Amino acid sequence: MEIGSGGVSVGGVEWAELRALIAGRGPLAVIERLRDVPPEELRALRAPLEALRRELRADRESSRSQLPALQVAGVLAAGTPREALRWLTDRDQLELFRPAAFGDQSPGTRERVLLTLLFLPHRDLEWQRELAVRLTEWLPAGRGQDVWDLAEGLAVRAGADIPVTEGYLTGWVRRGSRRYLSTSWEWDVHEWLGEQGLGPAVQPFGSLLEWLRTRPRLAELVPRLFDFDGLGALLAEPYAHHRGEDNEWPKALVVLTREGRLDRADLLDRTLARLLRGDRPGALKAFTMIYDGLAPTLEETAARVRMYASIAADGAGPAATRAHKALKALDAAGRLDGDVFADLCGAVLARTEKTLVTDQLKLLDKALRRDPARFGPLLATVALALGHPAVTVQERALRVAARHLGGADAAVRDELRAAAETVDAALQGDARTVFGSPAAPEPPSASPLTAPARAMPPELDTPVRLAAGIAALVDGALTDPLEFERVLQAAVALTWYERAATAEALEPLASRRIAEKTEHLSYSHLRRALGCLIETLAGRPRPHWSGARDFLATGTEHGHHCLDLVPIRRVYELTSRLATDPVPCLLAFPTDPDGLIHPDALRRRLTAYATAGAAPWPDDLEQAFLRLPAGTPAGTVAALREAAGLPGTGPGLPVLAKLRLRRHTEHEAALVNADRRVAGAHLVPVFARRDEPEEGSLAATLADLPDPDALFRFRNHGREGGLLGVLWPLVAPAHPDLVAAHAIPRLSMDAGRETGRRANTLLPYLAEYTTGPCGPVTHLALAYGLTAAPAGNRAAAVEALLTLAAHGRLDAERLGELLGRLWLEGVGIPTRFLPALGDAARAGAAHETWTVAVRLLDELEPYPATRGLPAVLTLAAECAALTGGGDEPPVLAQLAALTEPPRVAAEARRLRRVLARI
C-alpha cells in the first residue's frame, strides 16, 4: 500500500485520516482517534507507520513538527515490547521532539502522555515489565532524563525487577540531584504515579537527603555508584551547595551512614577502591568529598593500611595526598609496619608532587634518626628525590643524604653520588661538598637557535596535480598556507593555458561534491568556497555563486569583518571570474616562502597582464599590494599602482597607539560573571587610523580591528581563527601586529581560568609567515598564548617563540614586561607560562628565556609576596646553567636581602651562587 493513498481503510481506520492528523501536527488528536481502537485493528497500522517514519527521516528538518504525532501513533500501534522500544528510543524522536506539541510546556509533559499510553488496559503487567527491562538495558549514560522516567514509571507500575545499568544509575542520580528545585520547574515520576493512583503515594521532597531516605533500593544502588567511570562528575554537581548541604550527594551519603541507612565500612572500602582506580579530576572530586566526610579513624586506617599505601603510591594527586596524610598519622602513632614504610618510600619519592615527596622525605628522615639500623637501607631511595624536577625537593633530599651518609655502605653512597650529578646547577656545589667530588664540571655551552632554510613549494603544473592539491585542501586539515596559495595559482594558470584538460581532471571531484549535497554550508565556510571552485574548474558554474564575494565583502555573514573572510573572498573571486574573465597568472601569489611578493615580480606580472589584454581582479590586485615588503619605497609602490591603473600610494593602514588595560564596567562584570573563562581585566591594543580604506576592500577588513570597548563584539571577533588562522598571516605578512590584533580577543579568552578545548593555531604561522621586527601586539599575542588554558595552545606559543628567536625577531625584554603585567592583573597564570618558558629554554632559547625571567623579576620586585615568584628565580637559575652564566641583575641583591617571604630570599641567594660559580 502506498503511504499517500487516499481512501484505503486499515483495520477500520482510514489511513488518509490518520496521515492527515500526523501531518497536522496533532499528537493529542491522534491519541483521541486511536486509543479506543481494538489492538487487533491497530496491528494493521504498524507497516504503514514504519514506512512513514522512513519517509520523514529522509527530510528531518521539514518533518520535525510531525514527529510527536507519529510517535504516539507508533506507540499505540506497537504490539510487542520490542516494537514499543523502537518507537520510544528512535533517534529522531529523541533529538527533535518538542513537548510544546502537546500544548503544555511544563516538565514531564511528554513522559506523562507516553506513560498513559503504555498503561492502557490492553497492556498487561508482563508486557510492561518486559518493556521496563528493555528500556533500562538500552539506556545510555549520556541520554537525557525522559527515557529514564519512562523506564522507572513502568517498573514501579508493573513491579519490574530492572537491572542496575550505568544508564539507569545516571538517570537515578540526575533525578535525585534535582530535588532542590522548585516543583514548578521539576517533575517526578514517582509523585505523578502516586497522584494517579498507579503507585504508592509520595510526598514532594525539598532536598536530596529527604529523597534518598525514602528510596526503596538505596542500599542496592549506592554501592553501584562507585563502579562506573565518570559517574562521580554527577555526584559533585557544582551548584548544589548553594541550596544547602542536604542537596550535595557526598554529604548526604555520609549523613545516611550516620543514620545507619548505609553501611559505613562498606562505603569507606568502596570509596578507597574508587580513589585507587582513579578517574577524571572532575569525577574524582565527589569521592574525595565522601572520604573527607567519613573522616576515617586511626583504627579504620590501620585495618586498611595496604590500600592506603597503594593510593599514596599510584592514586591521583588529591587521593594520594589524603592517603599519605593518614599514613603519617599512623606512623606518628607507631603503628606503621616497616615493610609498608619501605614500599611507601620507594613509590612516593618517585612521584612528581612536591608536597607529597617533601612529606615523605621528612618521614624518612625521622625514621632514620629513630632507628638507623632498621631503616638504613632505605637511604638509597633518596636518589629518587634527587632526580625530582623541583629544586626545593632536591635541596631537602641533599640535606637528608648529608645527615645520614656517614652510616651508609659504599654501594648506597655511590648510588646517591650518581643521582646528585643531575641536581640543579644551584645545588652542584652543595652536592660536591656532601659527596666529596673534587672538581666542578665545565659550564655548558648553549647552542644558538638556527632557522631552517625554507623554499617555495613546487608549482602544480598539470591538471591532475591541481585536482590532487585541491582535493587535499577540501578533505584534509589546512596546515600550510603556501599549499592554499599554489592551488589558487594553479587554478588560474591552468584555466588560462589548459582549460579543457583542467575541466576533465576536475570532473570526478565535481561529481562527488554534488552527490554529497554540501549546499547547506554558509558562504563563510572555506570548504564550500573550495567546492564551488571545483565545480567552476569542471565547467559547472552556478549563477548564485557570483554574488558570494560581494556578500562577504559587506561583512553580513559574520556581523563584522574578520580575517577569515579574506581568503574565502579570494576563492569566490576565482569562481566568479575564471569562466568569463580569465587571467594568465595570480598577481598575489607569493614569491618568497614568508609570503611576500618582490616588487620586480609584481611589475613583471602586471606587464604580462597588459600584454595579454587582461584586467586585474580587485581582490587579487589588492592582496598583491598587501604582500609587498614593508620597506618598499613609496615611489616604487606608486609606479606599480599606476601600472595597475590605481591612483596614489594606497590606503594607510592603522598604526599602534598604545597598549591599554581594559577593565570590565560594573554592568559588564555582572553579564560575564558566569563565564569563568573571562578575566576581570585584559591588556588590549589601541590603534590610530591614518585614513579610511575603501569600503568593502581587503584593507578595510584588515583595518576593521576589534573594539575592546564593545565587549561582546570584541569577544566574538575572529571566532573562526582556530580554523582559518593558518591563512591570516599571508593577508599582510609585512604587518604582523595588525594580524595579531585580530587574534587578541580569542587569545585573551584562551587565557581564562577554565580549561578550554579550542585549538588556536595562529601563533606558529604568525611567526613563520611574517617578516620584519615584531611589535608590541605580536608579543602581547605571544604572552597570551603562553598562558592559555589548553596545553596544546601553550605548546603552539612555545613553537612561535622559538621561531621568532631563531629569526632574531623576538624582543625578550618586551615579552617579559607583558607577562609581568598580565600576571599582576590576574590574567597571566604563572603555573602555565613558566613551565612553557622552561620548555622554550630547554629547546634552545635559554638566552631569550633568561632575559624574560630577569624582566619578570624587575616587574615583580615591588611585590615580593606574589605567589609564584620563587619559580621565576628557579627558571632563571636553569637558564643560567644552560647558557653558562651572565652578569648578575641588580634586582637579585634586593630580593636576596628580604626577610619575608623566606623562600624568595633563599631562591635569590641560590641564583646568585649559580652565577658566581659559572
Side-chain angles (χ1 to χ4, degrees):
M1 180 187 84
E2 296 294 326
I3 293 300
S5 59
V8 179
S9 175
V10 182
V13 179
E14 293 288 343
W15 173 251
E17 176 191 3
L18 181 58
R19 182 67 185 91
L21 291 175
I22 294 174
R25 314 167 189 176
L28 296 180
V30 171
I31 293 172
E32 185 66 25
R33 179 67 183 87
L34 297 182
R35 68 180 300 159
D36 295 325
V37 176
E40 59 273 11
E41 296 183 13
L42 290 172
R43 185 181 301 114
L45 293 173
R46 295 169 192 164
L49 285 172
E50 285 287 351
L52 178 59
R53 176 164 64 172
R54 291 192 294 271
E55 177 185 320
L56 296 182
R57 176 175 290 174
D59 188 10
R60 299 172 66 198
E61 288 301 316
S62 62
S63 65
R64 69 167 61 204
S65 59
Q66 302 180 51
L67 293 177
L70 175 62
Q71 184 182 40
V72 297
V75 171
L76 281 163
T80 65
R82 177 175 294 181
E83 292 174 356
L85 175 73
R86 189 165 60 250
W87 282 104
L88 292 171
T89 60
D90 181 81
R91 182 186 64 186
D92 292 338
Q93 299 283 351
L94 293 172
E95 292 180 0
L96 303 178
F97 195 93
R98 295 293 182 269
F102 294 100
D104 188 352
Q105 291 278 22
S106 61
T109 297
R110 174 175 178 265
E111 291 74 23
R112 289 195 297 269
V113 171
L114 292 177
L115 283 173
T116 300
L117 302 182
L118 297 172
F119 293 161
L120 288 175
H122 66 277
R123 313 291 197 193
D124 59 37
L125 294 180
E126 185 59 35
W127 189 95
Q128 294 168 358
R129 281 193 287 267
E130 182 181 344
L131 179 57
V133 171
R134 288 182 178 274
L135 280 171
T136 306
E137 292 173 342
W138 173 88
L139 272 172
R143 183 60 65 194
Q145 198 65 32
D146 47 2
V147 180
W148 184 90
D149 285 325
L150 296 179
E152 183 74 357
L154 284 165
V156 173
R157 174 74 177 87
D161 184 16
I162 57 178
V164 183
T165 64
E166 182 179 4
Y168 179 81
L169 273 177
T170 299
W172 188 70
V173 171
R174 284 176 173 157
R175 177 56 63 205
S177 297
R178 312 309 285 174
R179 288 297 83 216
Y180 62 81
L181 292 177
S182 168
T183 54
S184 63
W185 288 92
E186 195 58 29
W187 177 77
D188 186 274
V189 64
H190 299 92
E191 295 174 12
W192 179 77
L193 289 172
E195 293 169 359
Q196 303 299 312
L198 301 173
V202 176
Q203 295 297 323
F205 301 105
S207 70
L208 168 65
L209 181 58
E210 293 177 8
W211 182 79
L212 285 172
R213 284 173 177 151
T214 64
R215 295 306 90 195
R217 305 178 70 185
L218 178 70
E220 176 189 0
L221 295 181
V222 168
R224 299 300 304 278
L225 297 176
F226 299 81
D227 294 344
F228 300 102
D229 292 344
L231 196 56
L234 297 177
L235 298 177
E237 188 178 359
Y239 302 109
H241 69 280
H242 293 303
R243 300 283 181 163
E245 294 185 356
D246 287 352
N247 289 300
E248 295 183 74
W249 273 93
K251 295 180 180 178
L253 294 178
V254 171
V255 170
L256 293 175
T257 62
R258 296 174 190 159
E259 297 175 353
R261 301 176 190 270
L262 294 175
D263 184 88
R264 174 184 170 88
D266 181 67
L267 190 65
L268 177 58
D269 287 338
R270 292 180 182 275
T271 301
L272 293 173
R274 181 74 259 184
L275 293 177
L276 178 59
R277 288 199 303 274
D279 208 336
R280 300 190 307 273
L284 206 60
K285 180 181 178 182
F287 303 110
T288 58
M289 293 174 65
I290 293 173
Y291 176 84
D292 293 342
L294 290 172
T297 64
L298 204 62
E299 294 297 330
E300 290 173 321
T301 302
R304 300 165 175 83
V305 64
R306 285 291 179 183
M307 176 68 79
Y308 275 90
S310 297
I311 296 173
D314 302 318
T321 299
R322 286 165 170 80
H324 196 262
K325 182 179 179 181
L327 293 172
K328 282 171 59 179
L330 208 60
D331 181 64
R335 302 181 61 178
L336 188 61
D337 182 79
D339 293 338
V340 174
F341 185 80
D343 294 341
L344 204 60
C345 289
V348 174
L349 292 180
R351 295 184 65 109
T352 59
E353 296 89 344
K354 290 194 298 183
T355 303
L356 207 56
V357 177
T358 301
D359 283 349
Q360 187 59 37
L361 284 171
K362 292 178 181 177
L363 284 181
L364 179 57
D365 189 21
K366 292 179 181 177
L368 290 171
R369 292 183 183 185
R370 186 171 62 244
D371 193 348
R374 182 183 180 191
F375 295 104
L378 295 181
L379 182 62
T381 60
V382 174
L384 298 170
L386 288 171
H388 195 278
V391 178
T392 53
V393 173
Q394 297 176 10
E395 185 178 29
R396 180 171 289 275
L398 274 177
R399 290 204 299 266
V400 173
R403 188 174 294 122
H404 303 285
L405 199 61
D409 57 30
V412 171
R413 294 174 65 91
D414 291 342
E415 184 177 352
L416 292 175
R417 180 182 294 107
E421 293 177 359
T422 63
V423 297
D424 187 82
L427 299 176
Q428 288 290 344
D430 296 337
R432 289 193 294 272
T433 301
V434 172
F435 296 105
S437 300
E442 290 294 324
S445 58
S447 56
L449 283 169
T450 57
R454 291 191 296 116
M456 290 292 293
E459 292 189 17
L460 302 173
D461 52 1
T462 67
V464 173
R465 289 176 180 172
L466 169 61
I470 196 169
L473 288 184
V474 172
D475 296 336
L478 184 61
T479 58
D480 187 348
L482 293 178
E483 290 294 325
F484 174 80
E485 293 295 332
R486 73 173 186 157
V487 163
L488 300 191
Q489 163 67 9
V492 170
L494 291 173
T495 299
W496 179 267
Y497 294 107
E498 301 181 53
R499 181 186 290 270
T502 300
E504 182 181 355
L506 271 295
E507 174 59 31
L509 290 179
S511 299
R512 189 185 73 176
R513 169 180 158 74
I514 292 173
E516 288 178 350
K517 298 180 180 179
T518 57
E519 286 303 311
H520 67 279
L521 296 175
S522 70
Y523 283 134
S524 61
H525 281 75
L526 180 63
R527 186 168 181 263
R528 178 181 182 179
L530 291 170
C532 294
L533 178 59
I534 289 172
E535 294 185 31
T536 298
L537 292 170
R540 300 187 182 189
R542 300 187 190 183
H544 66 274
W545 298 342
S546 59
R549 180 262 176 200
D550 297 332
F551 177 75
L552 294 179
T554 66
T556 305
E557 181 87 349
H558 278 224
H560 59 273
H561 286 101
C562 173
L563 290 190
D564 286 346
L565 304 185
V566 173
I568 298 175
R569 274 177 56 176
R570 294 181 56 221
V571 176
Y572 278 120
E573 187 174 63
L574 266 66
T575 65
S576 61
R577 298 272 187 160
L578 278 176
T580 60
D581 190 16
V583 291
C585 63
L586 200 65
L587 293 175
F589 185 63
T591 58
D592 298 330
D594 52 17
L596 292 177
I597 295 176
H598 195 278
D600 290 342
L602 181 56
R603 183 181 296 109
R604 289 192 297 271
R605 292 172 185 175
L606 289 171
T607 301
Y609 269 51
T611 302
W617 299 343
D619 283 354
D620 181 37
L621 180 60
E622 188 179 6
Q623 179 65 90
F625 278 100
L626 286 174
R627 287 178 176 167
L628 290 174
T632 304
T636 302
V637 175
L640 289 171
R641 290 181 65 85
E642 182 180 357
L646 298 176
T649 58
L653 295 174
V655 295
L656 180 69
K658 61 181 178 179
L659 295 180
R660 174 168 67 90
L661 191 66
R662 192 343 183 142
R663 299 184 185 277
H664 293 323
T665 65
E666 184 176 348
H667 174 66
E668 291 169 345
L671 290 176
V672 303
N673 185 50
D675 191 344
R676 298 186 180 183
R677 295 175 300 164
V678 181
H682 282 136
L683 200 59
V684 294
V686 178
F687 282 81
R689 292 195 178 215
R690 291 189 282 184
D691 53 31
E692 289 294 332
E694 180 183 353
E695 185 176 356
S697 65
L698 299 187
T701 301
L702 187 62
D704 189 17
L705 297 165
D707 180 6
D709 291 321
L711 176 65
F712 293 99
R713 182 179 175 186
F714 179 82
R715 290 172 61 194
N716 288 326
H717 188 95
R719 59 182 178 271
E720 298 296 333
L723 301 176
L724 299 185
V726 174
L727 301 177
W728 284 19
L730 290 195
V731 173
H735 305 279
D737 267 21
L738 275 179
V739 176
H742 283 271
I744 291 297
R746 175 57 53 190
L747 291 169
S748 63
M749 288 283 287
D750 289 342
R753 294 186 176 276
E754 290 294 309
T755 300
R757 298 179 180 177
R758 185 185 184 89
N760 197 311
T761 57
L762 172 67
L763 289 175
Y765 294 97
L766 186 67
E768 187 74 21
Y769 293 99
T770 56
T771 61
C774 293
V777 185
T778 303
H779 284 82
L780 177 60
L782 183 59
Y784 276 129
L786 290 170
T787 191
N793 291 3
R794 297 197 296 274
V798 170
E799 182 183 346
L801 187 155
L802 294 172
T803 302
L804 290 174
H807 287 279
R809 301 170 59 206
L810 180 71
D811 186 341
E813 281 268 353
R814 175 172 283 158
L815 180 60
E817 175 195 356
L818 292 171
L819 283 172
R821 291 179 67 181
L822 293 177
W823 186 351
L824 292 173
E825 291 298 334
V827 181
I829 301 176
T831 53
R832 293 180 187 166
F833 67 75
L834 290 178
L837 289 172
D839 292 341
R842 289 182 286 274
H847 287 283
E848 293 81 1
T849 307
W850 163 262
T851 304
V852 172
V854 171
R855 186 53 193 264
L856 276 171
L857 294 175
D858 289 334
E859 293 289 322
L860 296 171
E861 185 269 332
Y863 315 99
T866 301
R867 187 174 182 180
L869 180 55
V872 181
L873 292 160
T874 302
L875 174 65
E878 181 180 0
C879 293
L882 290 171
T883 60
D887 296 333
E888 179 180 314
V891 69
L892 267 188
Q894 302 169 33
L895 295 174
L898 294 173
T899 56
E900 292 290 337
R903 172 82 189 284
V904 172
E907 293 295 339
R909 290 192 291 269
R910 181 182 294 115
L911 176 54
R912 297 184 77 183
R913 291 197 300 272
V914 171
L915 293 173
R917 289 169 181 164
I918 295 178

